[in-house]
């Protein structure tokens, strides 16, 4: 994204945020702002990290399927 595009996007977001009245969206944005500098990996449990690493190994080994294949397998009798 170019500097001009970043400035345009920022201005558009500021305008949009200044008009928000939905407290859920405002809370979500505040949460995002407060967590934007944190490293989410350090917040995970060892079990969660292990599961993520297992998934990455599955991808590397080709043990994957498309979402269509997954849904088709659920619809089989």
């Amino acid at each position: 994204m170019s500097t001009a595009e970043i400035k345009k996007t920022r201005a558009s977001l500021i305008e949009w945020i200044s008009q928000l009245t939905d407290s859920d969206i405002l809370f979500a944005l505040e949460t995002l702002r407060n967590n934007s500098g944190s490293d989410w990996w350090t917040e995970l449990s060892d079990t969660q990290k292990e599961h993520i690493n297992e998934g990455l190994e599955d991808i590397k080994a080709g043990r994957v399927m498309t979402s269509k294949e997954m849904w088709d397998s659920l619809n089989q009798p």
Side-chain angles (χ1 to χ4, degrees):
M1 189 178 263
S2 71
T3 302
E5 290 171 321
I6 291 171
K7 287 180 180 181
K8 183 178 178 183
T9 301
R10 182 184 301 131
S12 175
L13 287 170
I14 290 169
E15 175 68 23
W16 174 66
I17 291 169
S18 70
Q19 297 176 20
L20 281 176
T21 57
D22 185 324
S23 61
D24 291 334
I25 293 175
L26 290 168
F27 178 76
L29 289 170
E30 183 177 40
T31 301
L32 177 63
R33 181 188 69 178
N34 292 339
N35 293 328
S36 65
S38 66
D39 182 2
W40 58 269
W41 184 258
T42 61
E43 303 295 322
L44 298 177
S45 69
D46 289 340
T47 301
Q48 290 170 317
K49 290 176 184 177
E50 183 178 323
H51 288 301
I52 291 170
N53 285 326
E54 287 171 0
L56 293 171
E57 289 301 318
D58 284 340
I59 292 168
K60 288 178 187 174
R63 294 184 298 266
V64 296
M65 66 172 64
T66 66
S67 60
K68 181 179 179 347
E69 291 170 330
M70 189 274 305
W71 287 109
D72 288 347
S73 72
L74 293 176
N75 291 326
Q76 292 178 354

